[in-house]
Amino acid sequence: MKRKYVAEPYRIKMVEPIRVTTKAERIKLLKNAGYNPFSLRSEDVYIDLLTDSGTGAMSQDQWAAMMIGDEAYAGSKSFYRLEGVVKNITGYEYFIPVHQGRGAEKVFLPQLVTHEGMYYISNLHFDTTRAHVELAGARAIDCVVEDCYDIDHYHAFKGNFCIEKLEKAIAEKGKENIAGIIMTITNNSAGGQPVSMANMRKVKEIADKNGIMIIIDGARYAENAFFVKEREEGYQDMDIIDIARETFSYADAFLMSAKKDGLVNMGGIIAIKNNEHLYNLCRTFVVPYEGFPTYGGMNGRDMDALAVGLMEALDENYLRHRIDQVRFLGDKLRDAGVPIQYPVGGHAVFVDCKSFAPHIPYDQFPALSVTNAIYLEAGVRAVEIGSLLLGRDPDTKKNLESRMELMRLTIPRRLYTYDHLDVVAEAVIHVYEHRNELKGYEFQYESPILRHFTSTFKPL
Ligand code: PLI
């Protein structure tokens, strides 16, 4: 029998009850949260699609591995087990654990900023990555392909670098002023969109020609490898792990939020190919920021869970189901006419709120409006990825207008069933059918950095 979507490749051994609230309760709860879904208590959320970061379910083998965690301050067995797995997957020589992705960014990114007026170039910087680039005194330039902004149009690799934009940025800013090229795979802010191997190869060629380092921001590198296998010619018969290894061969360092394709609730990775000097710098700075270089902010038991999770996330059956769940939700919405980033990416369905609520201007945050409406409708929590998240220009302080106003329905790994996703689809479709009633928001309190997390709002 051929199914369109692959059923769960696991059985459920333990359950966590979730609470259903009434609409009257949710109206009060959202008001009390300052109309910012980040401020809702999770017990007041029925289906939580805020993020896929650290929210997935661990396997029995991961829980079992936690029991053998070695909590030694220095040189634990857990560290060496994790180091072995990271080196096996990446082929890199050096590994440092950190507590999560932004810990890796904080330790690593400033090391390449050697003078004033430097830039990092990425396909699209994730928000914490951009923040750490700026905190390190550099500036962030995004060079994603224009197809990424053509929401309804199919492109197999909407996460790709635009090669012309990349070359132009290097020429304009001067290669000596480029701290590094950050390849975000999959490209979260573009919709969890994959980057093709051909594109990575080309970026590597340009980086080599200009003597610039490439850093993989690989929170979802396994999902990227799955798309390469599925969509790029020549990779159909290759194992996912070998596709991942080829990916790593095109870079000099790997920063990972292990909370995604590491299948753990907390953890991060810095891996460096063969640059001993850079490794020594990171090893020095990880101590005050994160912890001794053999634990870097992680428990021994968590390093063991991650060692197992990294390998599980490279399993093709797991990946097919994972990405099919996202497609299932995407197909339901698209069939009902809801505008979404198409094709859907690896970890989320991104709803195009510019088309959904064109009557709400960017500085009244249309995607926040849609996000809040689906919480009110069904207790589903999603997240705004648009002008609210983009924030202000660090120099002029002007409110920036995002090219896309997206609501991200992010699917945690191995957590929800297809039935949960049916409920989500119904809620979004209902709000879409009543979209003319949606209103914008203004700030009640605006926090000065990463404002989407802690600001509060008033409906207009
Ligand atoms: O949340 P962290 O600190 O473990 O990782 C930061 C981070 C870095 N790069 C990329 C591509 C991310 O997606 C990322 C975190 N993403 C979150 C929290 C998300 O909700 O997408």
Side-chain angles (χ1 to χ4, degrees), residues 141-161:
I141 301 176
D142 293 328
C143 289
V144 74
V145 284
E146 280 300 301
D147 305 76
C148 145
Y149 301 106
D150 194 354
I151 297 236
D152 200 35
H153 149 88
Y154 182 92
H155 184 293
F157 293 100
K158 279 187 169 177
N160 277 355
F161 275 85

Side-chain angles (χ1 to χ4, degrees), residues 14-29:
M14 189 189 281
V15 295
E16 178 187 356
I18 46 180
R19 191 165 80 95
V20 186
T21 49
T22 63
K23 188 159 187 178
E25 285 172 323
R26 290 193 293 274
I27 288 171
K28 277 197 207 137
L29 291 164

Side-chain angles (χ1 to χ4, degrees), residues 50-53 100-102 105 126 128-129 184 188 217 219-220 257 259-260 408:
L50 185 69
T51 177
D52 62 328
S53 183
Q100 65 180 102
R102 65 203 71 184
E105 290 160 358
F126 179 67
T128 59
T129 322
T184 312
N188 185 2
D217 177 0
R220 301 175 182 85
S257 166
K259 300 169 73 172
K260 285 83 167 173
R408 187 180 73 172

